[in-house]
Amino acid sequence: MSDELKRWTIVPGEVVAHMPYGLRVRVPSGEIGVLDSAYLDDVPVAPSDWPDVGSRITVVSGGRTSGGQLRLSARPSHLAHARELARTPH
């Protein structure tokens, strides 16, 4: 797939569902990824404080699960790391 997100790519996302384990988030390609509750912030976030369905959030690609599902993170530390990687020449 040519538009597959590479790991550590920052993209906007839209929360499309709350699940028992976290969020489902649609990225610009239309793919829906998984954002585990442990990756919402650098500190634990109660489900009552999760972003509402329809909210726009910034996420970073964390690769794929063993089942091929897109993994996402919204942790500020992960976003900062991805920004630093983008600035570093390869």
Side-chain angles (χ1 to χ4, degrees):
M1 173 182 330
S2 63
D3 61 348
E4 184 169 324
L5 283 178
K6 291 184 176 135
R7 190 169 180 167
W8 298 112
T9 301
I10 297 173
V11 294
E14 179 184 357
V15 177
V16 296
H18 284 197
M19 308 300 285
Y21 53 81
L23 306 175
R24 306 279 270 156
V25 178
R26 181 179 294 116
V27 296
S29 69
E31 184 174 12
I32 296 175
V34 112
L35 198 165
D36 188 282
S37 61
Y39 295 102
L40 277 167
D41 203 335
D42 290 321
V43 297
V45 178
S48 59
D49 294 326
W50 291 358
D52 293 329
V53 170
S55 295
R56 303 239 179 236
I57 61 174
T58 301
V59 294
V60 61
S61 172
R64 302 256 168 202
T65 66
S66 60
Q69 192 167 41
L70 178 63
R71 288 184 189 176
L72 301 169
S73 175
R75 282 183 169 189
S77 61
H78 289 167
L79 292 166
H81 181 70
R83 287 183 184 106
E84 184 59 34
L85 287 174
R87 284 192 293 269
T88 305
H90 300 341

